[in-house]
Amino acid sequence: MNCELLATCSALGYLEGDTYHKEADCLESVKDLIRYLRHEDDTRDVRQQLGAGQIVQNDLLPIIIQHGQDKALFDACIRLMVNLTQPAMLCFGKVPDDPVFRCHFLQVTSHLQACKEAFASERVFGILSETLYDLLQLDWEQRQEEDNLLIERILLLVRNVLHVPADPCEEMKVDDDASVHDRLLWAIHMSGFDDLVKFLASAQSEQQWSMHVLEIISLMFRDQTPEALVSAGQARSAEEKHKDSQELEALRQREQAAKRSRTFQRGTRHSRFGGSYVVQGLKSIGDKDVIYHRNLHNFKNYTHDIGKAVRRVPKKNRRAQECKDQRRSALNVRLFLREFCMDFLENCYNRLMYLVKESLIREQAQQHDETYYLWALSFFMAFNRGNGFRADLVSETMSIRAFHFIERNITNYYEMILTDRKEATSWSRRMHLALKAYQELLLTVNEMDRSQDESIRQSSNVIKSNIFYLMEYREIFLTLLRKYDETRQPQSYLKDLVESTHLFMRMLERFCKGRKSLMVQRKKVRRKRSESKKKTSAVETSPEALEEIFKVVEEELKASGFQLSESLTESIVPFDATSETPLEEQRTEAMVRVQDALLARLGPEALGLLRAAREVWPEGDVFGSADVEPEEELELLKQILRANLPRSSPPEPVGEDEDDAAELEEEELESVQVSEKEFNFLDFIKRFANPGIVHPYLLLLKTYSKNSPHTNHCIARMLHRLAVDLKMDALLFQLSVFNLFNKILSDPAAAAYTELVTFAKYVLKRFFSVAAQNNKAYVELLFWKNVGAVREMTEGYSKDGEGKKPTWTEEEEEELRRLYEEHRHSEVPDIVETLLPLLSNSTRTRRQVVTQLVHMGVVVNAKELKKQKKGTRIVLWTEEQEQELEMLFEEYKESDDVLGNILKKLTAKRSRARVVDKLLSMGLVSERRELYKKRSRGAHGKSSGKGMTEEEFLESLTQGFPDEPVDRDDEDEGEEDESEESEEGEDEEQEREKSQNGGRRSQSLHSPVERRADVGSMVYALQQEGMSGPMLWLQNCLNKTAMDREDDDVSQPVPLVPLTEANEEAMDNKSFKKLLRKLGMRPPANEQETFWRIPAKISASQLRSAAAALSPREEEPKGDEEQNGSGSPNRESQEEEEEEEVSGEQRAQALRALLLARKKKHHTSEHAAPVSDFTPTDDTDSTIERSQEKTSTKRSRVLDDDEDNVPVSDFNPVEDTDSTIERSQEKTSTKRSRSRVLDDDEDNEEDSTTAVDMETNGDADSDREDISAPVKRRRKMVLIDEEEDED
């Protein structure tokens, strides 16, 4: 032992005789030991050394027995013992595979077994019981947290001690002898601890210990069986005596047969003259007969395998090991446990099982705790069945909920067996436990059927009708048999599964016999293809048919006097108030519903809908006036019937083009259809006629001599159902089965297996009768057979080609060949679809035509005739196409839209994504963004106006307009729709390009002053909503981030984390989010991000500008209206109507004036200082800008609205000057530009990565440094001036 541990243990005290003398620092030493255990290594060295020193037996137990009055010491000792008695499985996590760690594991287990023997003392449990009793006497008001901890530790200590496994080498005891576990249980009983356990299970105030109590009870009954406890102390019944006599008789017969065989084996001559014999007809390895060198009395056991080495079975193919055998405890222990079971069922079972179930459902228990629930359910319900069945004692677990809970666990365990292969054995044991619980539920329901109480029998029928109706419960055994795996599930599991299946089949058969018909639920998974063609938008009906329909409706309405029943009037609802569809669209839908009712010849329903719709939509007299006459209503119905109404089609997926839709059409959809059908018991048995289900039964039958008579009966009954009831005896015509039957028939104790012998003789008789008619029957013995093979073997084999696809005549083949040759060179998309209607035999299917063309050799394979999907059929690139692509790239690589120009000029049309991938693979571009549309720089280069005519200048102004770029995008989209394939990457590129281009177009239409004023209006609006606090928080965040970026010179995205409730509510406000987007903040990019972020590319100066724009104001500035050119709504609408008639001549004059002003500004700016505030040209521009506001009021208002959603980006001096000109030119296409701007608005709402300020990107461009520098300073001064004006 380690010297420190030895010193600590010595400081505890010493045992002198029966008296333990503790040292002064005993408490501190116990705490030191706890501390040592906390820091032990993976080999559990501290635990092993303390176990070897027997610290529990020699120190800790004497301390709590003799010094229990010292509460602090007692608590510390209990705490230490809980740690030391912890199961070895918990210490190491699992049984180690490594030999060294396996040795440590076994060492810890041996120390635990020694501790368990020390705990088997009445004095120890007497102290624990007294302490626990005193603690439970305290009310909740008096009980402290330390008291609850001590209660839990005592329960855990008892749990740990009971959990210690028995040592098979030390405890080689016979049944009815007291083992260590029995002595421990007797100590628990004599100390009264079992009564405390029952109190904890039943007390209302102690329900928090329910899981601990159930765990202790399950470990107490670990070695017991319900049958053994029920029969404890009672005389053996006549049935048990008869069963024992049968077993003894079978053993006696076997012994006599073995004695007779030994007698026959003794030869009359000595062994030196055994002799050698030639076995005629049995070939050896060569061509000669086998020579046998042994006595003849052993010849019938001769096999070629004699002398061969036994082949080793791989570990993964070995059969699963059985759990340890049950043993019978001492009689006094069984009697005490029997009394415990009776008291527990009477007072505790229902309540405890309810609490545990609730904990499991709410996931308040630990992992795998449901196994204790499953064990308790099966054990105590079995005990209740054997001990004078009373349904009220187990009412809590006798419900459909219990069936569902167990079925769900069985399914989960099976899935875990497949997925968690390393722990498959543990999952298999849990699955076996769940199966036992399910079996016990069925046995209890079966017992309820025999009850004398009518109400109990009625409850049994309700439960049976549910479990037989639902498919999950009805077919669970079918599934488990099919999924049985002998390498993972032991034979005891198979035995319980076969017996449970037998019980279920017997109950189901009895349930069906008492009823003429039984309806059950059926679930069917169907795979269907979505319809490839949309339904027509209007119902096509001939005028004659409509006239006939209306006559029928008219006669029906006149016969009823246009009166509607009250029930019909109340049931008709013309619109859905909860629908998101606007009321105007619902009005059209209501009219379509009226038309549908008329087409269905439902006159009263159509009239009721008409009147109900009239009340909802009285305006416009669309459904008639309020005082309409019946004849007028009739005429109105006639008009609706004949009208060509627009019918809504299913919504198309947003953001997908025709190619994606085509792919969706081809996609298979799965749907579970639930329906009812009449149940047929014979059809249900047919589901078991499968080799995969018969095989587990025959595996269990191989151990017939070890099986119980009931198990053998279950096997024989199922095989009898298949062979006799279904007449599928050929299913058992298999060589291994006949070998098993031969073993049963030649068994000396065959008289004990009468049922099996009779069945084996019946199957063999049937085989020989079939073999007399079918000369291939002996070959069939080598194979397992399905239902089809069984039918062929007994009824005769079908001829080749019989029952297959119809043949083609020579005339039909010639016709098909001729039609194919005529149309093979035609440019039809699908030649097979073209040929089908032209064939004389119209019943031919596409598959038949394709197969015949391949068979005739007209085409090489069916792939040539495969239905072409919408999409590019060109996959490979030829060398010429690669050269063409490279040439086009070199030609257009400097253009604004490289990819668009290449796609237009490519000879072989391909999708955008294919071209992008090819350019990347050829190394022409390094990343996709190089192929995005570039921002037009034409206006920048000619900003000075040098060498430009007036027409060139006006043409350059239109380059920033939405018209041309949008048209170009429309063309690209059109080309894309015409392209024959679409992929996800293509869609993403389009969205990004649209977003970027839309952002550039919109940004070029706004000046910095307009943007600043627009932010101010949004700040004012939020201030009016009471969001001054969140805006101040946002302003502080921006200023703090700006300071950090100035200090560190490093920019990283900074999350905006709201820490107050007001800030959190603001982050959910739409207007506040709109402001964040306006300032360039980035929303969460994916599900892994929660907060908005300040992008890394926004500089410190830009952040300070944005923060300054958030300063609160007393009132909204009026200058905002002047800058945006927007007055009151009434004035705007009047000006729009008055000024829409402005002639194009006035606009041209205004443009010429702006052109002259621009030239003057250029000449002036060459001599101006770079830090000047505003040049005279700027004043002139602003004056002209204001003079043009009235002529473009409508366009200006659209842009102002749009500006809220357009993220602010780079500032451009040319854009600053030309924004008003661009607005004035848009006057001629106001409506069109409104829709385009709104479209851009939608695109740019997603573009949240743009910067907040209006700074130019020219910092990195040396050619534009002279322009960008003064612009930055001018922008700052403008903002300062504006702030002074606001103040």
Side-chain angles (χ1 to χ4, degrees):
M1 184 183 287
N2 180 276
C3 59
E4 293 182 1
L5 279 178
L6 185 60
T8 308
C9 293
S10 301
L12 290 173
Y14 61 93
L15 186 65
E16 186 178 12
D18 292 335
T19 306
Y20 189 85
H21 302 278
K22 66 171 187 172
E23 297 290 348
D25 54 351
C26 180
L27 177 60
E28 286 72 17
S29 299
V30 172
K31 291 180 178 179
D32 288 339
L33 291 177
I34 295 173
R35 195 175 300 111
Y36 288 142
L37 282 170
R38 190 181 301 139
H39 297 96
E40 65 180 349
D41 60 10
D42 292 340
T43 62
R44 309 299 174 192
D45 56 335
V46 176
R47 194 177 303 269
Q48 290 188 52
Q49 293 180 54
L50 293 179
Q54 297 186 345
I55 188 74
V56 174
Q57 299 95 309
N58 297 334
D59 292 280
L60 298 180
L61 289 180
I63 287 175
I64 66 169
I65 291 173
Q66 300 181 23
H67 302 279
Q69 67 279 2
D70 188 346
K71 190 174 184 305
L73 182 61
F74 182 85
D75 290 353
C77 288
I78 293 292
R79 184 180 169 194
L80 178 58
M81 284 193 292
V82 168
N83 198 335
L84 288 173
T85 56
Q86 188 177 9
M89 189 71 77
L90 289 180
C91 294
F92 289 88
K94 63 173 184 177
V95 179
D97 297 324
D98 183 75
V100 176
F101 279 89
R102 175 70 67 89
C103 181
H104 294 313
F105 178 86
L106 295 176
Q107 193 70 33
V108 170
T109 304
S110 65
H111 294 324
L112 289 174
Q113 289 165 349
C115 290
K116 182 175 182 177
E117 191 169 357
F119 268 93
S121 166
E122 294 179 22
R123 294 182 66 191
V124 173
F125 274 96
I127 292 293
L128 295 177
S129 300
E130 290 175 8
T131 306
L132 185 59
Y133 178 79
D134 293 339
L135 292 172
L136 294 177
Q137 289 295 313
L138 297 175
D139 293 333
W140 277 101
E141 296 81 4
Q142 301 172 347
R143 196 179 295 178
Q144 302 296 321
E145 183 63 29
E146 294 79 6
D147 299 330
N148 284 329
L149 282 174
L150 185 55
I151 292 174
E152 186 172 11
R153 284 170 183 159
I154 291 175
L155 294 176
L156 286 175
L157 177 62
V158 176
R159 190 279 309 267
N160 290 347
V161 173
L162 286 169
H163 188 275
V164 177
D167 187 357
C169 299
E170 296 293 330
E171 297 187 29
M172 294 186 291
K173 299 184 181 293
V174 297
D175 284 349
D176 296 325
D177 195 4
S179 63
V180 173
H181 195 74
D182 291 343
R183 289 191 279 122
L184 188 66
L185 293 177
W186 189 250
I188 289 175
H189 174 59
M190 295 304 294
S191 65
F193 193 87
D194 57 333
D195 295 326
L196 293 176
V197 169
K198 287 185 282 189
F199 170 76
L200 289 171
S202 59
Q204 177 82 24
S205 57
E206 308 294 344
Q207 61 186 21
Q208 62 174 320
W209 316 117
S210 58
M211 209 66 230
H212 294 294
V213 169
L214 185 62
E215 199 170 352
I216 289 173
I217 292 173
S218 69
L219 293 170
M220 286 173 61
F221 289 87
R222 182 174 61 188
D223 296 333
Q224 312 302 323
T225 60
E227 296 79 12
L229 293 184
V230 168
S231 60
Q234 296 181 356
R236 296 171 68 245
S237 62
E239 182 182 351
E240 291 176 338
K241 291 179 181 179
H242 177 67
K243 179 181 175 182
D244 290 344
S245 64
Q246 281 185 332
E247 292 179 1
L248 285 173
E249 181 63 25
L251 291 172
R252 190 180 67 84
Q253 288 177 357
R254 284 202 185 91
E255 187 177 358
Q256 289 179 349
K259 191 181 295 184
R260 282 196 301 271
S261 66
R262 284 196 300 271
T263 303
F264 289 140
Q265 284 179 8
R266 293 195 193 100
T268 56
R269 301 172 66 185
H270 53 79
S271 58
R272 285 176 297 177
F273 301 99
S276 297
Y277 305 92
V278 176
V279 183
Q280 294 182 355
L282 186 63
K283 297 295 181 182
S284 63
I285 297 175
D287 294 334
K288 297 182 180 180
D289 294 335
V290 170
I291 299 176
Y292 186 68
H293 295 284
R294 291 179 178 81
N295 292 327
L296 291 178
H297 58 260
N298 279 331
F299 178 71
K300 64 179 180 179
N301 296 326
Y302 174 77
T303 173
H304 285 298
D305 294 331
I306 293 177
K308 291 182 181 179
V310 178
R311 187 176 182 182
R312 181 178 173 273
V313 180
K315 188 176 181 180
K316 63 178 182 179
N317 293 339
R318 293 176 192 168
R319 300 189 65 173
Q321 295 293 322
E322 295 286 345
C323 297
K324 60 180 183 177
D325 296 330
Q326 304 285 348
R327 67 173 298 276
R328 194 164 57 221
S329 299
L331 179 61
N332 57 345
V333 175
R334 280 186 286 139
L335 289 173
F336 129 67
L337 290 177
R338 182 172 182 272
E339 292 298 325
F340 183 94
C341 283
M342 294 169 64
D343 291 343
F344 182 78
L345 280 170
E346 189 77 33
N347 304 308
C348 313
Y349 177 81
N350 286 329
R351 171 166 181 76
L352 182 65
M353 296 298 278
Y354 170 78
L355 293 173
V356 172
K357 179 78 171 291
E358 287 298 311
S359 298
L360 293 173
I361 291 175
R362 299 175 187 275
E363 297 182 353
Q364 295 173 347
Q366 294 181 356
Q367 196 176 18
H368 309 316
D369 275 353
E370 73 277 358
T371 54
Y372 297 110
Y373 177 85
L374 296 172
W375 172 87
L377 186 147
S378 59
F379 187 91
F380 287 106
M381 289 183 78
F383 182 87
N384 182 49
R385 271 192 309 107
N387 193 46
F389 175 74
R390 282 177 55 188
D392 59 311
L393 297 183
V394 292
S395 58
E396 170 58 34
T397 52
M398 201 60 251
S399 63
I400 294 297
R401 286 182 61 203
F403 277 96
H404 172 69
F405 179 78
I406 297 172
E407 186 269 336
R408 191 180 61 185
N409 276 287
I410 289 176
T411 306
N412 180 47
Y413 292 152
Y414 177 72
E415 291 174 355
M416 294 307 298
I417 287 175
L418 298 181
T419 55
D420 190 5
R421 296 182 181 273
K422 291 185 178 179
E423 297 296 327
T425 305
S426 301
W427 291 111
S428 174
R429 289 174 184 167
R430 296 183 189 112
M431 188 175 179
H432 189 187
L433 208 54
L435 177 65
K436 288 281 289 182
Y438 200 91
Q439 180 187 19
E440 193 52 51
L441 286 179
L442 290 176
L443 286 167
T444 305
V445 173
N446 192 44
E447 194 71 32
M448 290 169 67
D449 275 342
R450 305 175 188 170
S451 175
Q452 303 295 326
D453 192 345
E454 178 63 29
S455 62
I456 293 179
R457 292 201 302 273
Q458 184 97 21
S459 300
S460 168
N461 279 329
V462 170
I463 293 175
K464 286 194 295 184
S465 61
N466 276 281
I467 62 176
F468 295 150
Y469 174 78
L470 291 174
M471 187 175 176
E472 292 83 357
Y473 308 135
R474 196 174 60 251
E475 298 191 354
I476 183 172
F477 297 111
L478 198 66
T479 306
L480 293 178
L481 283 168
R482 191 182 292 116
K483 303 293 185 183
Y484 173 72
D485 183 1
E486 61 179 325
T487 62
R488 291 175 181 160
Q489 292 158 326
Q491 193 166 6
S492 57
Y493 167 85
L494 181 59
K495 170 182 167 294
D496 289 328
L497 178 58
V498 167
E499 291 179 0
S500 302
T501 306
H502 171 75
L503 173 64
F504 183 81
M505 298 284 283
R506 194 176 65 192
M507 291 171 61
L508 182 57
E509 185 178 19
R510 200 161 53 235
F511 191 77
C512 293
K513 282 182 179 177
R515 288 163 176 76
K516 292 183 179 179
S517 63
L518 175 64
M519 300 302 293
V520 296
Q521 187 189 77
R522 177 178 64 177
K523 290 183 180 178
K524 191 171 184 180
V525 179
R526 286 196 174 182
R527 291 189 175 185
K528 59 182 181 179
R529 291 178 180 271
S530 57
E531 297 179 2
S532 59
K533 294 183 180 180
K534 307 287 183 189
K535 294 182 178 179
T536 54
S537 60
V539 181
E540 298 176 1
T541 312
S542 61
E544 295 79 9
L546 291 176
E547 195 65 38
E548 183 181 351
I549 290 172
F550 187 74
K551 284 181 181 179
V552 176
V553 173
E554 185 179 15
E555 290 174 3
E556 185 180 4
L557 291 176
K558 286 183 177 179
S560 63
F562 294 92
Q563 298 298 320
L564 303 178
S565 63
E566 186 177 351
S567 60
L568 180 63
T569 307
E570 292 177 355
S571 63
I572 291 177
V573 180
F575 81 106
D576 184 5
T578 62
S579 173
E580 296 180 358
T581 308
L583 278 179
E584 294 302 318
E585 294 182 19
Q586 291 200 34
R587 182 174 66 181
T588 307
E589 292 176 3
M591 196 167 289
V592 171
R593 288 173 60 191
V594 174
Q595 190 183 63
D596 290 339
L598 291 171
L599 290 170
R601 307 190 181 193
L602 303 174
E605 283 80 353
L607 184 60
L609 267 171
L610 184 71
R611 291 176 177 175
R614 184 187 305 144
E615 294 179 2
V616 177
W617 294 284
E619 62 277 357
D621 294 340
V622 178
F623 295 96
S625 59
D627 53 350
V628 67
E629 296 295 329
E631 294 299 330
E632 295 177 2
E633 285 182 326
L634 203 60
E635 185 61 30
L636 189 56
L637 288 174
K638 187 174 182 179
Q639 293 176 6
I640 292 175
L641 179 62
R642 293 180 174 178
N644 186 11
L645 299 176
R647 292 176 178 267
S648 60
S649 59
E652 297 181 0
V654 179
E656 295 182 2
D657 55 12
E658 293 178 2
D659 297 334
D660 292 328
E663 290 177 8
L664 286 175
E665 288 168 8
E666 295 296 327
E667 184 181 5
E668 288 187 350
L669 303 176
E670 286 189 359
S671 63
V672 179
Q673 292 187 347
V674 180
S675 59
E676 285 189 344
K677 68 169 185 176
E678 189 172 347
F679 182 76
N680 187 305
F681 184 70
L682 209 59
D683 291 342
F684 183 67
I685 297 177
K686 289 178 183 177
R687 304 280 302 279
F688 290 83
N690 188 301
I693 293 177
V694 174
H695 188 252
Y697 277 88
L698 296 173
L699 275 177
L700 189 59
L701 186 60
K702 286 181 179 179
T703 58
Y704 70 94
S705 59
K706 298 179 182 178
N707 296 341
S708 66
H710 178 65
T711 304
N712 286 334
H713 167 72
C714 295
I715 299 170
R717 187 71 185 96
M718 175 56 77
L719 297 179
H720 182 272
R721 290 184 192 276
L722 300 177
V724 180
D725 296 351
L726 297 182
K727 304 188 186 311
M728 292 252 182
D729 40 42
L731 203 63
L732 301 173
F733 293 171
Q734 217 275 342
L735 206 56
S736 62
V737 180
F738 282 8
N739 186 31
L740 180 58
F741 285 167
N742 183 46
K743 184 179 177 182
I744 293 173
L745 293 173
S746 59
D747 194 318
Y753 313 112
T754 312
E755 194 174 17
L756 293 178
V757 170
T758 306
F759 180 74
K761 289 180 177 178
Y762 168 79
V763 174
L764 290 170
K765 181 181 177 181
R766 286 287 302 152
F767 171 75
F768 290 121
S769 64
V770 169
Q773 301 172 357
N774 183 1
N775 56 2
K776 299 177 182 177
Y778 293 98
V779 180
E780 292 281 8
L781 283 175
L782 301 173
F783 307 101
W784 290 100
K785 288 162 280 298
N786 56 20
V787 177
V790 166
R791 186 178 297 108
E792 286 189 338
M793 183 178 177
T794 54
E795 299 177 4
Y797 299 98
S798 59
K799 296 179 182 178
D800 292 339
E802 189 176 315
K804 293 185 179 179
K805 52 198 173 190
T807 57
W808 289 68
T809 64
E810 291 184 6
E811 292 79 9
E812 288 176 336
E813 288 184 357
E814 187 60 34
E815 178 191 23
L816 180 61
R817 191 188 303 274
R818 177 178 53 80
L819 290 173
Y820 179 78
E821 292 298 333
E822 289 177 1
H823 295 85
R824 64 181 297 184
H825 297 296
S826 62
E827 297 182 357
V828 292
D830 189 1
I831 189 170
V832 180
E833 292 295 333
T834 307
L835 297 181
L836 281 174
L838 301 176
L839 292 173
S840 57
N841 187 352
S842 59
T843 60
R844 296 293 183 189
T845 63
R846 177 187 180 88
R847 186 185 294 267
Q848 291 172 358
V849 172
V850 171
T851 306
Q852 188 62 25
L853 286 171
V854 175
H855 179 70
M856 292 163 55
V858 178
V859 294
V860 178
N861 54 34
K863 291 184 179 179
E864 296 181 20
L865 302 173
K866 191 174 181 181
K867 185 183 288 187
Q868 296 284 354
K869 290 184 180 179
K870 261 193 171 184
T872 304
R873 290 178 290 277
I874 307 171
V875 178
L876 299 176
W877 290 73
T878 64
E879 188 175 351
E880 294 78 11
Q881 291 170 349
E882 290 182 354
Q883 291 175 357
E884 180 191 18
L885 180 63
E886 187 174 358
M887 182 185 67
L888 289 172
F889 177 77
E890 293 296 332
E891 182 180 351
Y892 293 110
K893 67 181 181 181
E894 301 298 333
S895 63
D896 292 342
D897 187 8
V898 181
L899 196 57
N901 292 327
I902 291 176
L903 286 171
K904 290 177 186 177
K905 300 294 184 181
L906 266 182
T907 307
K909 297 298 181 184
R910 297 178 187 269
S911 67
R912 181 181 293 263
R914 287 273 168 82
V915 174
V916 171
D917 292 339
K918 191 61 181 175
L919 289 171
L920 288 169
S921 64
M922 292 173 67
L924 298 176
V925 292
S926 58
E927 52 186 1
R928 293 177 183 270
R929 67 177 63 188
E930 296 180 26
L931 298 173
Y932 296 165
K933 292 180 183 177
K934 300 184 180 69
R935 177 177 173 180
S936 178
R937 304 288 182 182
H940 301 173
K942 300 179 182 181
S943 60
S944 61
K946 290 181 179 179
M948 292 176 61
T949 63
E950 182 179 342
E951 289 76 20
E952 288 175 347
F953 173 65
L954 294 177
E955 183 180 355
S956 68
L957 290 179
T958 61
Q959 290 180 359
F961 265 56
D963 287 339
E964 281 188 15
V966 172
D967 289 343
R968 186 166 65 248
D969 283 356
D970 289 345
E971 289 174 11
D972 292 342
E973 290 172 9
E975 290 169 8
E976 235 169 275
D977 290 338
E978 292 169 5
S979 70
E980 299 167 32
E981 183 179 6
S982 173
E983 297 177 6
E984 292 179 3
E986 187 175 345
D987 294 337
E988 293 173 1
E989 288 175 17
Q990 284 181 347
E991 289 176 8
R992 284 197 295 266
E993 289 174 9
K994 286 182 182 178
S995 175
Q996 292 173 359
N997 295 337
R1000 291 165 187 153
R1001 289 192 299 270
S1002 302
Q1003 290 157 10
S1004 66
L1005 300 176
H1006 303 283
S1007 67
V1009 182
E1010 291 175 37
R1011 292 192 183 94
R1012 171 61 189 268
D1014 196 32
V1015 171
S1017 63
M1018 295 172 68
V1019 169
Y1020 179 77
L1022 289 171
Q1023 186 181 359
Q1024 297 301 315
E1025 293 180 14
M1027 291 196 183
S1028 301
M1031 283 193 295
L1032 182 60
W1033 162 72
L1034 178 60
Q1035 190 178 33
N1036 292 335
C1037 289
L1038 295 175
N1039 286 326
K1040 185 177 179 181
T1041 306
M1043 291 173 60
D1044 293 341
R1045 291 186 179 180
E1046 286 175 348
D1047 296 341
D1048 301 339
D1049 292 333
V1050 178
S1051 296
Q1052 292 181 350
V1054 179
L1056 296 171
V1057 184
L1059 299 178
T1060 64
E1061 188 175 352
N1063 293 347
E1064 287 183 2
E1065 291 176 356
M1067 296 302 286
D1068 293 333
N1069 186 285
K1070 289 185 179 179
S1071 301
F1072 196 80
K1073 289 182 179 179
K1074 198 173 180 182
L1075 176 64
L1076 290 174
R1077 288 183 185 276
K1078 190 74 176 177
L1079 296 174
M1081 303 300 106
R1082 181 170 65 80
N1086 50 43
E1087 64 276 0
Q1088 296 181 354
E1089 292 187 0
T1090 307
F1091 306 109
W1092 286 67
R1093 279 167 164 72
I1094 302 173
K1097 67 179 184 179
I1098 302 181
S1099 65
S1101 60
Q1102 295 169 356
L1103 289 174
R1104 293 192 186 280
S1105 300
L1110 293 176
S1111 301
R1113 295 181 294 179
E1114 295 295 328
E1115 56 180 344
E1116 187 175 6
K1118 296 180 180 179
D1120 186 18
E1121 296 180 4
E1122 295 175 1
Q1123 290 171 355
N1124 292 327
S1126 58
S1128 64
N1130 295 334
R1131 191 174 69 225
E1132 276 184 1
S1133 59
Q1134 291 173 4
E1135 288 176 357
E1136 284 173 11
E1137 294 174 359
E1138 292 172 2
E1139 294 173 4
E1140 264 191 9
E1141 304 299 323
V1142 177
S1143 65
E1145 192 173 357
Q1146 293 175 343
R1147 289 195 300 274
Q1149 292 175 359
L1151 289 174
R1152 288 191 183 92
L1154 284 174
L1155 179 61
L1156 294 173
R1158 178 169 180 163
K1159 289 180 178 179
K1160 180 188 291 187
K1161 172 189 172 183
H1162 174 68
H1163 292 299
T1164 309
S1165 61
E1166 288 181 352
H1167 307 286
V1171 296
S1172 61
D1173 187 357
F1174 272 109
T1175 62
T1177 311
D1178 295 356
D1179 297 336
T1180 308
D1181 287 347
S1182 61
T1183 307
I1184 300 176
E1185 184 175 89
R1186 285 193 295 272
S1187 69
Q1188 292 292 325
E1189 280 176 356
K1190 292 187 178 180
T1191 64
S1192 59
T1193 308
K1194 187 173 182 180
R1195 171 63 183 167
S1196 177
R1197 187 172 61 83
V1198 171
L1199 292 177
D1200 291 340
D1201 294 339
D1202 182 24
E1203 200 169 289
D1204 294 341
N1205 294 323
V1206 176
V1208 182
S1209 182
D1210 302 338
F1211 169 77
N1212 200 312
V1214 179
E1215 293 169 0
D1216 181 27
T1217 313
D1218 300 343
S1219 60
T1220 310
I1221 304 177
E1222 290 170 347
R1223 287 200 297 274
S1224 65
Q1225 281 200 345
E1226 275 297 310
K1227 185 70 179 101
T1228 57
S1229 57
T1230 307
K1231 294 181 181 179
R1232 181 179 176 189
S1233 64
R1234 177 188 291 269
S1235 63
R1236 296 285 170 85
V1237 171
L1238 292 178
D1239 291 341
D1240 290 343
D1241 183 14
E1242 293 173 0
D1243 291 341
N1244 287 304
E1245 279 183 358
E1246 299 175 0
D1247 190 8
S1248 58
T1249 60
T1250 53
V1252 62
D1253 78 322
M1254 291 63 79
E1255 185 178 356
T1256 181
N1257 288 333
D1259 293 322
D1261 191 350
S1262 59
D1263 295 334
R1264 297 172 60 194
E1265 273 187 1
D1266 297 335
I1267 300 175
S1268 61
V1271 167
K1272 291 180 186 177
R1273 288 190 288 273
R1274 186 182 66 180
R1275 177 183 58 77
K1276 293 179 182 178
M1277 298 181 72
V1278 168
L1279 294 177
I1280 294 170
D1281 292 341
E1282 283 183 357
E1283 289 174 0
E1284 291 174 356
D1285 294 341
E1286 290 170 5
D1287 296 336

